Amino acid sequence: MRAARPQLIVNAAAYTAVDRAETERDLAFAINGRAPGILAEEARRLGAVLIHYSTDYVFDGAGSTPIARTRRRRR
């Protein structure tokens, strides 16, 4: 990525096996948590824009305000 020096990075990758995420927590977190963080750091270093989007498995679009990182998960 550093050699290509992109101005825009789009991350569409995700661990979407929702039914297995509870048993494959480390893998799900690596793909959905750590990897976007690494991309964000690289984008910052390069002065690039990072677009990261999620599926409706997590965000259904029904909210009207930002979701706090500290908000408890609904069951």
Side-chain angles (χ1 to χ4, degrees):
M1 188 173 306
R2 289 181 186 173
R5 301 202 53 83
Q7 294 179 325
L8 175 67
I9 302 166
V10 178
N11 181 30
Y15 179 96
T16 59
V18 177
D19 55 332
R20 291 193 316 255
E22 292 296 322
T23 58
E24 296 180 345
R25 288 178 182 229
D26 291 341
L27 178 59
F29 185 75
I31 294 169
N32 293 344
R34 282 193 301 273
I38 292 167
L39 287 174
E41 278 299 311
E42 287 301 312
R44 184 189 60 76
R45 282 189 187 112
L46 296 168
V49 172
L50 171 64
I51 296 174
H52 171 83
Y53 57 93
S54 180
T55 69
D56 63 353
Y57 290 122
V58 177
F59 304 110
D60 63 7
S64 60
T65 58
I67 298 172
R69 291 181 76 179
T70 56
R71 187 181 85 178
R72 297 196 62 140
R73 184 173 65 161
R74 289 182 286 185
R75 297 212 177 230

